[in-house]
Amino acid sequence: DGGITQSPKYLFRKEGQNVTLSCEQNLNHDAMYWYRQDPGQGLRLIYYSQIVNDFQKGDIAEGYSVSREKKESFPLTVTSAQKNPTAFYLCASTESRGTGGAGANVLTFGAGSRLTVL
Amino acid sequence: AQKVTQAQTEISVVEKEDVTLDCVYETRDTTYYLFWYKQPPSGELVFLIRRNSFDEQNEISGRYSWNFQKSTSSFNFTITASQVVDSAVYFCALVDFGGATNKLIFGTGTLLAVQP
């Protein structure tokens, strides 16, 4: 079945360490997104990519980095520069074409990764 | 600026009650899309509905119905005869067409707890 796989589901990090969250999709979607979810704050966009080898910052990109070397993969690195990294991270994907472009299309989400800084 | 407000942080109902989740949005665009997503305890968001700004017809899908009113900038979601399986966080979202990104702007979500 097609879908998005995020790993690991739970991750613990010591302060000062970088960690990378994996996101893989087999939906042949062009666009991929990373969101951060905190209690009471909804979902906030970290980075997005509409095509391989290209990505843009979202609303809260500071302290994060991404790469898009393959269409099916969009890993997110949480760097030591991120001051408050404890959160639930969601990856999503969609097709880029269609009326209104990628944003107007329905997003498919992964099951998320919960990062806790010790 | 584009914004989505879900004023109800948490709602608790007893099974079989009807419940309405409110969503109010702000946008300067005349063309926009509105969404509802469900987030069960497993974590992934599940798509429920998409509505564009030119289609104000209400929609019904089984026990779910949506009331879109441009005059009040609202896109409310009603669950009829709620069930325990409806317990989840529900997000309303708006597509921001400002710029080339067409980004989704989410509300803060409403946690619905349906008690047996």
Side-chain angles (χ1 to χ4, degrees), chain A residues 9 35 37 40-43 45 48 50 59 88 90 99-107 109-111, chain B residues 33 35 37 39 42-47 50 89 91 95 97 100-109:
Chain A
K9 191 170 180 63
Y35 287 90
Q37 183 178 7
Q41 294 195 45
L43 276 70
L45 183 63
Y48 63 99
Q50 301 201 50
D59 301 316
F88 188 56
L90 284 158
T99 303
N105 292 342
V106 175
L107 294 182
F109 283 84
Chain B
Y33 288 80
F35 296 77
Y37 283 87
Q39 185 179 39
S42 55
E44 79 280 14
L45 271 73
V46 177
F47 166 76
R50 177 181 64 183
V89 180
F91 290 97
V95 169
F97 279 94
T101 61
N102 297 346
K103 298 181 298 183
L104 262 182
I105 298 170
F106 285 87
T108 52

Side-chain angles (χ1 to χ4, degrees), chain A:
Chain A
D1 289 338
I4 296 180
T5 301
Q6 289 188 241
S7 62
K9 191 170 180 63
Y10 299 95
L11 185 60
F12 298 89
R13 185 194 100 173
K14 294 182 180 179
E15 285 191 21
Q17 288 182 334
N18 292 354
V19 293
T20 297
L21 308 181
S22 171
C23 177
E24 302 278 334
Q25 55 100 357
N26 60 3
L27 299 165
N28 199 33
H29 284 168
D30 298 305
M32 298 187 73
Y33 304 79
W34 274 105
Y35 287 90
R36 171 178 170 143
Q37 183 178 7
D38 296 281
Q41 294 195 45
L43 276 70
R44 294 181 290 169
L45 183 63
I46 305 172
Y47 267 99
Y48 63 99
S49 167
Q50 301 201 50
I51 196 169
V52 174
N53 293 322
D54 187 45
F55 49 83
Q56 286 79 40
K57 294 181 178 180
D59 301 316
I60 56 166
E62 185 176 351
Y64 300 97
S65 66
V66 293
S67 63
R68 187 84 187 278
E69 298 176 359
K70 297 185 297 182
K71 185 176 184 177
E72 59 269 23
S73 178
F74 191 40
L76 173 73
T77 296
V78 184
T79 75
S80 57
Q82 169 52 233
K83 299 304 180 188
N84 185 22
T86 294
F88 188 56
Y89 292 88
L90 284 158
C91 179
S93 71
T94 190
E95 296 180 346
S96 285
R97 53 187 185 280
T99 303
N105 292 342
V106 175
L107 294 182
T108 299
F109 283 84
S113 293
R114 187 168 299 280
L115 172 62
T116 302
V117 173
L118 304 174

